[in-house]
Amino acid sequence: MGRTLAEKVWDDHVVRRAEGEPDLLFIDLHLLHEVTSPQAFDGLRLAGRTVRRTDLTIATEDHNTPTLDIDKPIADPVSRVQLETLRKNAAEFGVRIHSLGDIEQGVVHVVGPQLGLTQPGTTVVCGDSHTSTHGAFGALAFGIGTSQVEHVLATQTLPLAPFRTMAITVEGELPEGVTAKDLILAIITRIGTGGGQGYVLEYRGSAIRGLSMEARMTICNMSIEAGARAGMIAPDETTFAYLKGRPHAPQGEDWDAAVEYWRTLGTDEDAVFDHEIFIDAAELTPFVTWGTNPGQGAPLGASVPDPASFADPQERIAAENALAYMGLEAGTPLREVAVDAVFVGSCTNGRIEDLRAAADLLRGRRIADGVRMLVVPGSVRVALQAVEEGLDKVFTAAGAEWRHAGCSMCLGMNPDQLAPGERCASTSNRNFEGRQGKGGRTHLVSPQVAAATAVLGRLAAPADLASSAAVEV
Amino acid sequence: MEKFTTHTGRAVPLRRSNVDTDQIIPAHWLKKVTRSGFEDGLFEAWRRDESFILNRPERQGATVLVAGPEFGTGSSREHAVWALQNYGFHAVISSRFADIFRGNSLKNGLLTVVLPQETVERIWALTEADPTAPVTVDLEAREVRAEGITAPFELDDNLRWRLLNGLDDISITLRNEADIAAFEASRPAFKPRTLPAA
């Protein structure tokens, strides 16, 4: 019987297989950041161990880093200690690091792909759940905890429980104004935050094949929000074209050998998935979340749902709690929900195409009075590209704040946070209570919806801007 | 890792689904570089509400958390496990756990037990009616016991063996050094490297 993409990558990394034991898998690439690594390095020191493969390991600073005043000492002493700890550990153990101020610094899941380190058929891990991002290249990529970070540092392997496979087939073309973000939000609402549990998802079908690498990363990034072990997309010409010429992409004969191998990775025609889901791309519309988990979403054209409409008692209670926290009333059209803040950035939507999409809608327009908008590039390289294209000027002319690279307002860990009660349309990945700051209220949206929302001051689709006069500035 | 064999304690019935890692331990706590001292961050936002179940006097000293489905959804932060342990929990019972959280818990000796939602509801009812009711989580017998309830649970033999003996995963893996070295020697030249070849 044929094998799926995920099964092929898994099989190619089995170091040891024995009855009654989990498979021991080799890890091709280990990404580190400051938050989940300090205790792992402590563990190595306590046991007198070293980093086995510094040449397969790379660190960057992202979660704690401020996006303003990056040339000054970090104001928060606890954040400063955490960053300094990473720098000391990297120096002590010989790990390559891209610190704040370095041209390769940025959000870990933006940096790996842009350096060409993320490649098809590799195993990629990081102490961060959004490691699923790298699956866009046909890599088996997943987030791990700190104990596993220590395990990979020491052994370059991980014992892993077997997974099941799920195909998510999306056929057709995404309508105008509908993006990869809308698609993944719709998928999560359909299968739920636990729907992917135990599965590696493979996104396939003509709609997926038609997406750019950056759009594919947006989709795979949020696989974890459906509870999945990982998300993957088969490598194709789009993947190879993205990789070719990047600093760590194979060169010369190695490139040819790599491409030949990568072409064998796609799921065989006679392979069988444990579960399959079909989606018609043409039926999708801009999608937003109304609740406090990423599965609580709806088309932008819908209204805030009535908790009583949920048959499952747990879901009903969850919806009641969510509406109370979000300060929303059942039946309110989502387009009437006014926001205080808009955030464009994160490992989900902080790449150059995301910034271009937002800038295209903001060009010649102003954001609504009273709305604060932050635009945060995912990496220094993305920032430089945006500046070269003049996008930073578009954002500032529209009244948005153009910041330095980092995780920023995706999570309440650095100075960029919502105030209690503030409502934000955010291109990030989690709408959990307090995720963007204590008491903050998050609606997950695409960069296009974020830009339209900033202009109109309420949740809005790009199409809504056409009917509102563009203000020349 | 701490050993886990059997544990008996009072329970905290937490009637919420999708208890995410940002609720278990908010991000600002993750700046700490230790594995301890997270107890005050556990459910920090919810604990500001005096009526939150963890704040009630009859729940002080409870050691078994019984929660709704999709417990631990979200981030890979192992700090969520440390926070539960630092606070004093030895086991968490739910009908569904997020994968990464579950993996992290079992690597730290915090036993996460999957029981059918119907059984979770019975434990909720029992421990809400009688906060002193003991709940036993027995890994040797793979069973949860409370008054009127005997519920078997599944746990992979290999994981159970590691937990019962408190074994260090890294030491176990390093016994396979020859396999790792052989695999390394067979890797294709085109695989990515973060450093120039030595």
Side-chain angles (χ1 to χ4, degrees):
Chain A
M1 194 178 68
R3 293 177 301 160
T4 64
L5 165 64
E7 288 161 346
K8 290 181 187 184
V9 180
W10 180 285
D11 289 347
D12 284 352
H13 290 83
V14 174
V15 168
R16 175 186 159 85
R17 178 171 284 170
E19 183 64 30
E21 289 178 26
D23 281 357
L24 187 65
L25 255 64
F26 193 81
I27 302 302
D28 288 318
L29 179 64
H30 188 188
L31 307 164
L32 296 168
H33 63 84
E34 74 274 17
V35 179
T36 53
S37 64
Q39 298 86 349
F41 281 110
D42 275 349
L44 290 186
R45 260 189 297 270
L46 276 170
R49 293 176 175 136
T50 58
V51 175
R52 182 182 182 94
R53 295 296 300 264
T54 51
D55 61 334
L56 305 182
T57 310
I58 187 169
T60 183
E61 300 172 358
D62 55 6
H63 286 62
N64 275 271
T65 51
T67 58
L68 285 173
D69 299 327
I70 64 164
D71 51 340
K72 297 187 185 132
I74 292 166
D76 179 342
V78 194
S79 286
R80 194 165 65 228
V81 166
Q82 192 162 58
L83 290 165
E84 283 167 357
T85 302
L86 179 65
R87 291 169 197 174
K88 274 187 226 158
N89 285 331
E92 181 183 338
F93 289 90
V95 171
R96 171 173 162 189
I97 182 171
H98 295 294
S99 292
L100 196 60
D102 184 304
I103 195 166
E104 301 297 351
Q105 181 263 340
V107 180
V108 65
H109 309 308
V110 177
V111 169
Q114 93 190 356
L115 282 170
L117 284 167
T118 304
Q119 295 178 15
T122 55
T123 46
V124 181
V125 299
C126 174
D128 189 283
S129 58
H130 292 111
T131 309
S132 56
T133 310
H134 307 264
F137 292 79
L140 183 61
F142 46 92
I144 57 177
T146 297
S147 294
Q148 289 172 302
V149 170
E150 184 181 338
H151 196 286
V152 176
L153 288 172
T155 71
Q156 204 59 35
T157 65
L158 274 180
L160 291 167
F163 61 91
R164 288 172 291 169
T165 56
M166 187 190 300
I168 298 182
T169 305
V170 191
E171 296 290 355
E173 256 184 73
L174 292 173
E176 178 78 21
V178 179
T179 68
K181 183 65 166 287
D182 302 301
L183 171 58
I184 188 63
L185 287 173
I187 290 171
I188 298 162
T189 290
R190 176 150 156 198
I191 70 175
T193 56
Q197 217 175 79
Y199 288 98
V200 174
L201 313 180
E202 182 180 331
Y203 305 97
R204 54 213 312 259
S206 58
I208 301 295
R209 286 195 299 275
L211 294 175
S212 70
M213 284 316 295
E214 297 196 358
R216 295 178 188 185
M217 283 188 251
T218 299
I219 290 179
C220 289
N221 171 275
M222 290 191 71
S223 301
I224 183 67
E225 261 50 76
R229 295 268 298 273
M232 297 177 85
I233 293 172
D236 59 10
E237 297 306 322
T238 303
T239 320
F240 309 151
Y242 177 95
L243 273 167
K244 187 145 180 107
R246 291 195 179 261
H248 290 271
Q251 294 180 358
E253 285 177 16
D254 278 347
W255 172 262
D256 297 336
V259 172
E260 195 185 330
Y261 170 63
W262 296 344
R263 285 188 201 283
T264 67
L265 293 171
T267 294
D268 295 326
E269 275 186 27
D270 57 343
V272 178
F273 289 91
D274 296 312
H275 191 65
E276 289 195 67
I277 283 177
F278 296 92
I279 288 170
D280 180 358
E283 286 181 2
L284 292 167
T285 59
F287 211 86
V288 302
T289 61
W290 49 265
T292 54
N293 74 57
Q296 292 175 322
L300 179 61
S303 298
V304 176
D306 184 346
S309 68
F310 292 94
D312 178 77
Q314 291 295 329
E315 279 187 45
R316 189 163 59 239
I317 296 167
E320 283 167 4
N321 288 337
L323 295 198
Y325 180 85
M326 293 294 288
L328 291 173
E329 276 188 38
T332 306
L334 286 163
R335 275 194 165 86
E336 289 179 12
V337 175
V339 303
D340 307 295
V342 173
F343 170 59
V344 173
S346 84
C347 59
T348 313
N349 282 124
R351 297 182 177 81
I352 191 68
E353 289 175 13
D354 301 312
L355 301 191
R356 284 178 192 146
D360 282 348
L361 292 167
L362 290 177
R363 202 169 276 118
R365 293 189 166 99
R366 292 273 313 169
I367 63 173
D369 286 344
V371 172
R372 173 166 70 120
M373 181 179 192
L374 255 62
V375 183
V376 186
S379 71
V380 176
R381 292 280 184 194
V382 171
L384 292 173
Q385 178 69 28
V387 169
E388 195 177 306
E389 297 178 21
L391 305 185
D392 58 325
K393 295 207 166 51
V394 175
F395 293 125
T396 50
E401 295 177 46
W402 170 249
R403 297 292 189 88
H404 290 287
C407 293
S408 184
M409 207 188 256
C410 175
L411 83 172
M413 217 177 155
N414 55 63
D416 302 342
Q417 300 196 21
L418 295 178
E422 267 194 319
R423 186 183 300 283
C424 181
S426 176
T427 67
S428 55
N429 40 54
R430 290 197 173 125
N431 52 345
F432 297 156
E433 292 180 19
R435 172 77 180 183
Q436 295 191 284
K438 192 167 66 182
R441 295 160 168 167
T442 304
H443 295 272
L444 301 177
V445 299
S446 72
Q448 285 84 336
V449 168
T453 297
V455 171
L456 295 177
R458 54 179 174 78
L459 292 177
D464 301 340
L465 289 180
S467 54
S468 80
V471 183
E472 285 304 319
V473 290
Chain B
M1 179 175 74
E2 282 177 44
K3 280 186 195 183
F4 192 106
T5 50
T6 184
H7 175 79
T8 300
R10 285 182 288 115
V12 175
L14 182 60
R15 281 189 184 263
R16 285 193 79 125
S17 61
N18 276 283
V19 174
D20 63 70
T21 47
D22 279 84
Q23 307 318 310
I24 300 172
I25 187 81
H28 70 97
W29 281 88
L30 313 191
K31 297 174 188 178
K32 289 168 68 69
V33 295
T34 58
R35 283 173 180 257
S36 57
F38 292 97
E39 58 275 13
D40 291 341
L42 181 71
F43 300 125
E44 186 183 48
W46 293 346
R47 274 160 79 185
R48 285 195 202 99
D49 173 359
E50 274 180 25
S51 66
F52 180 58
I53 188 143
L54 226 56
N55 291 334
R56 294 190 200 150
E58 68 273 21
R59 303 294 168 186
Q60 302 314 303
T63 52
V64 179
L65 184 64
V66 188
E70 318 307 348
F71 189 87
T73 185
S75 143
S76 66
R77 57 187 73 164
E78 202 156 308
H79 315 64
V81 171
W82 303 332
L84 286 159
Q85 290 183 310
N86 292 168
Y87 184 86
F89 286 111
H90 289 257
V92 185
I93 297 171
S94 168
S95 63
R96 290 171 69 93
F97 290 95
D99 283 331
I100 306 179
F101 173 82
R102 182 114 204 270
N104 288 343
S105 69
L106 299 176
K107 295 218 179 291
N108 284 274
L110 175 74
L111 190 60
T112 39
V113 177
V114 180
L115 291 180
Q117 184 59 27
E118 171 195 76
T119 313
V120 170
E121 306 262 356
R122 286 170 62 206
I123 303 175
W124 278 345
L126 169 75
T127 56
E128 280 169 354
D130 178 7
T132 66
V135 175
T136 296
V137 179
D138 184 341
L139 180 59
E140 280 170 306
R142 272 186 272 221
E143 211 169 68
V144 171
R145 292 184 298 273
E147 193 188 333
I149 300 169
T150 302
F153 63 86
E154 287 183 21
L155 191 76
D156 172 85
D157 283 337
N158 189 273
L159 277 170
R160 177 169 166 270
W161 166 69
R162 290 177 190 226
L163 279 160
L164 286 173
N165 296 290
L167 297 175
D168 167 23
D169 273 4
I170 298 177
S171 305
I172 296 173
T173 295
L174 288 175
R175 290 180 202 163
N176 305 311
E177 169 60 35
D179 293 328
I180 301 172
F183 186 94
E184 285 176 320
S186 71
R187 292 177 77 234
F190 58 73
K191 289 280 186 176
R193 282 169 187 273
T194 58
L195 299 173

